[in-house]
Amino acid sequence: MTKLSSSFRDDVYRLVADIPSGRVMTYGDIAALAGHPYAARVVGQIAHFGPEHLPWQRVVNRYGGLARGFWGGKEVHRQLLEREGVVIDDTYSIVDFEEYRWKPETHLS
DNA sequence: CGAGTGACCGCAA
DNA sequence: ATTGCGGCCACTC
């Protein structure tokens, strides 16, 4: 069933939930795909208040660096991503970030 | 309902 | 190179 009325927040939830293990997306990309290219901050807020069962650890900034206010801090964040096979250096930035970057398919439900 | 804050991004000086 | 500022939407007070 198609959901005709979707808010920005709901779109973010779906996009984040759709990121496969071992892949990452940026706040800006998610915002753009949800219809608001400059609402990257909002994605951060949604991540803060949103459901914990979603893979927020796969959401990083446009430099491939880890977020500041992530629950537990960057150390925990790095552990979670490395556990999925994502290599991160000592500056908390993803190695070969562009290769891990997840590109959602255009034919989303 | 108004104002302030915020896990960001892009551009100007 | 660094700093500052506007903008987007959600949430709190």
Side-chain angles (χ1 to χ4, degrees), chain A residues 15-33:
Chain A
L15 287 166
V16 173
D18 205 25
I19 304 174
S21 178
R23 298 288 182 172
V24 293
M25 280 187 77
T26 69
Y27 295 95
D29 285 348
I30 292 172
L33 289 168

Side-chain angles (χ1 to χ4, degrees), chain A residues 2-58:
Chain A
T2 56
K3 195 168 187 197
L4 299 180
S5 63
S6 64
S7 37
F8 180 79
R9 191 189 67 177
D10 293 329
D11 288 339
V12 172
Y13 287 159
R14 295 178 195 173
L15 287 166
V16 173
D18 205 25
I19 304 174
S21 178
R23 298 288 182 172
V24 293
M25 280 187 77
T26 69
Y27 295 95
D29 285 348
I30 292 172
L33 289 168
H36 294 270
Y38 294 94
R41 297 185 76 171
V42 187
V43 177
Q45 289 302 6
I46 293 170
H48 182 73
F49 293 100
E52 297 182 9
H53 59 81
L54 292 181
W56 299 113
Q57 57 244 38
R58 295 170 191 155

Side-chain angles (χ1 to χ4, degrees), chain A residues 34-94:
Chain A
H36 294 270
Y38 294 94
R41 297 185 76 171
V42 187
V43 177
Q45 289 302 6
I46 293 170
H48 182 73
F49 293 100
E52 297 182 9
H53 59 81
L54 292 181
W56 299 113
Q57 57 244 38
R58 295 170 191 155
V59 182
V60 297
N61 63 27
R62 64 170 258 338
Y63 297 110
L66 305 187
R68 303 175 178 172
F70 188 87
W71 173 84
K74 294 182 177 179
E75 298 178 8
V76 173
H77 196 167
R78 178 168 67 178
Q79 298 282 337
L80 291 171
L81 283 177
E82 285 189 332
R83 201 174 105 179
E84 297 183 351
V86 180
V87 181
I88 301 175
D89 61 24
D90 51 358
T91 65
Y92 298 103
S93 115
I94 299 176

